[in-house]
Amino acid sequence: QVQLVESGGGLVQPGGSLKLSCAASGSIKVIHDMAWYRQTPGKQRELVAHITKSGSTNYRDSVKGRFTISRDNAKNTVYLQMNSLKPEDTAVYYCAAAITVLQTLTTISYWGPGTQVTVSS
């Protein structure tokens, strides 16, 4: 069994910052790509940022220069530092990871349950 658990969401004023964390645990052999997505009611889930095992990153245009994705491979954790937050960043944020499971050596995409980020004055 593998689990992803996000933390760090909350309410912040426009222009503020939050740092999300997502820790993977369980029968993990290898964690490959990791990513953050977000979703608002009535809209499709969208990719926010992505990071490879070696640390290469990419971002959706609307968050470039404001958000930074990073990972700590020793802790099986991915982070999303969000600065200069805007009301339009309000969403449920999900982490995702492609993980090779120890027992079966199959690679499966796992998702966390999500954490709410609300940007409002």
Side-chain angles (χ1 to χ4, degrees):
Q1 295 282 7
V2 173
Q3 283 189 321
L4 300 181
V5 179
E6 302 100 338
S7 61
L11 173 64
V12 64
Q13 292 187 339
S17 298
L18 280 177
K19 186 173 185 177
L20 306 182
S21 301
C22 173
S25 62
S27 301
I28 297 168
K29 181 171 177 61
V30 180
I31 301 178
H32 305 280
D33 294 3
M34 305 183 83
W36 287 96
Y37 289 76
R38 66 187 181 189
Q39 188 171 23
T40 53
K43 292 189 177 181
Q44 284 192 329
R45 194 170 294 188
E46 62 184 24
L47 177 65
V48 176
H50 167 269
I51 185 167
T52 66
K53 190 173 187 299
S54 62
S56 296
T57 61
N58 64 74
Y59 301 88
R60 70 179 303 105
D61 287 347
S62 60
V63 308
K64 284 180 181 177
R66 300 189 298 122
F67 291 11
T68 302
I69 188 170
S70 61
R71 62 190 286 171
D72 184 333
N73 290 332
K75 296 181 178 179
N76 290 341
T77 300
V78 63
Y79 306 95
L80 186 68
Q81 177 67 47
M82 304 184 294
N83 299 326
S84 303
L85 282 161
K86 304 176 181 180
E88 51 264 43
D89 295 317
T90 296
V92 177
Y93 283 71
Y94 299 89
C95 69
I99 297 175
T100 299
V101 179
L102 195 58
Q103 294 97 330
T104 62
L105 299 183
T106 55
T107 299
I108 302 170
S109 292
Y110 289 89
W111 291 83
T115 185
Q116 176 71 46
V117 171
T118 302
V119 184
S120 175
S121 54

